[in-house]
Amino acid sequence: MAQHRYLVGANALFSPSGRINRLQFALNFWMFQIIYLLILLGVDMLPDAVSDELMSKIDQPVTWLTMVLTVLLYYAMFCLMAMRLHDVDLTAWLALVLFAGIAPNLIGVFGGPALAANEDLMINLSNLSTLGNLAVLISGLLLTFWPGMAGANPYGQSPNEITLPSCEISDR
């Protein structure tokens, strides 16, 4: 009997232990990808929407807020990917591919002025980030369609099966 939980709860969202099925992974992982895209689009369109004076005042807080939200989203996606990898009986270490896309961006943001002088380095970081994000999308697609392992494995019971507690009936 299948469980009827499609969205992963907050307690499971920030814990990489256990297993989730393909539907739970797809709905949650791709929803977070869309949220991340909307955050990036919002930050990209913000300078056009507000005055230069206001933008100069809110530029640094918006950058920090974006980075905090990005790290939280990526950690949640890491946990989802780890649970999905557990479902196909693989190690969660493979979920570190997620950080191939975000690491060059973090280096570019926090390296700021020191890296901005070297245009070739910034271009290489941008290309590396693009390749990392492509790896994230490909691994997300693979885990969306790769069937999970039936039955129990070292990471827990299959998320597609519910074990009902046994009932003993006495002959009184």
Side-chain angles (χ1 to χ4, degrees):
M1 209 179 221
Q3 294 179 357
H4 296 290
R5 287 184 323 158
Y6 299 118
L7 296 177
V8 176
N11 58 343
L13 192 57
F14 291 105
S15 170
S17 63
R19 296 170 63 179
I20 59 172
N21 63 27
R22 290 184 284 182
L23 180 60
Q24 289 172 322
F25 174 79
L27 290 175
N28 290 279
F29 185 81
W30 296 109
M31 177 183 63
F32 284 138
Q33 288 290 338
I34 291 170
I35 290 171
Y36 180 62
L37 178 66
L38 291 175
I39 289 171
L40 291 180
L41 285 175
V43 169
D44 190 41
M45 293 175 11
L46 186 64
D48 296 334
V50 298
S51 68
D52 290 338
E53 182 182 329
L54 179 61
M55 191 60 205
S56 67
K57 292 178 183 177
I58 65 170
D59 186 34
Q60 190 173 10
V62 166
T63 301
W64 281 100
L65 180 63
T66 303
M67 294 309 297
V68 167
L69 289 175
T70 299
V71 168
L72 287 175
L73 281 171
Y74 266 80
Y75 182 70
M77 287 189 286
F78 169 79
C79 291
L80 288 169
M81 193 174 274
M83 288 187 289
R84 185 70 187 112
L85 285 165
H86 287 166
D87 191 41
V88 295
D89 202 19
L90 293 172
T91 180
W93 285 101
L94 295 173
L96 291 176
V97 72
L98 275 171
F99 299 102
I102 193 175
N105 289 335
L106 290 174
I107 292 169
V109 168
F110 292 115
L115 295 176
N118 190 342
E119 188 176 327
D120 289 337
L121 183 59
M122 291 301 286
I123 290 171
N124 289 338
L125 280 174
S126 177
N127 291 339
L128 190 59
S129 176
T130 302
L131 289 174
N133 288 327
L134 185 62
V136 169
L137 292 176
I138 290 171
S139 60
L141 283 172
L142 286 172
L143 290 175
T144 296
F145 296 108
W146 192 346
M149 185 178 162
N153 69 14
Y155 303 106
Q157 187 67 20
S158 173
N160 294 330
E161 300 170 1
I162 297 177
T163 56
L164 299 174
S166 62
C167 298
E168 292 185 22
I169 301 173
S170 62
D171 291 337
R172 288 192 208 190

